[in-house]
Amino acid sequence: MKKHTDLKPLDCILIGLSILFVIIAMLAPWVLTRQSVFALGTLEQIKDFGALGDTIGGIMNPFIAIAVGLITFLAFRIQYNAN
């Protein structure tokens, strides 16, 4: 039985994009809550922390969903190649 352990270039690209999206999702709260031109406001300015949580969740969720989609596609592709 032959094992398929070598990754194709597309597989490496998908893995890299997934890692990038996860890193963006982890850095988004810090970037969006610091005082700068791009900031939505500092923690002292935001009195309703529910709105802050909704903002961070709304920004992070698409990146996490894209990363999960890419990883799921990659898992199915590797399973298909193995069979």
Side-chain angles (χ1 to χ4, degrees), residues 22-40:
V22 169
I23 290 171
I24 288 172
M26 287 190 292
L27 292 176
W30 177 76
V31 170
L32 295 173
T33 57
R34 64 189 180 106
Q35 190 171 4
S36 72
V37 176
F38 302 106
L40 298 173

Side-chain angles (χ1 to χ4, degrees), residues 3-71:
K3 284 190 173 184
H4 296 282
T5 57
D6 55 335
L7 292 175
K8 295 179 179 155
L10 180 62
D11 298 338
C12 293
I13 291 170
L14 291 176
I15 290 170
L17 282 174
S18 298
I19 291 170
L20 178 67
F21 284 130
V22 169
I23 290 171
I24 288 172
M26 287 190 292
L27 292 176
W30 177 76
V31 170
L32 295 173
T33 57
R34 64 189 180 106
Q35 190 171 4
S36 72
V37 176
F38 302 106
L40 298 173
T42 61
L43 290 177
E44 293 82 23
Q45 293 172 336
I46 299 174
K47 302 207 190 283
D48 185 11
F49 287 105
L52 176 64
D54 291 343
T55 301
I56 291 172
I59 291 170
M60 289 174 50
N61 284 339
F63 293 108
I64 293 172
I66 291 170
V68 168
L70 291 173
I71 291 170

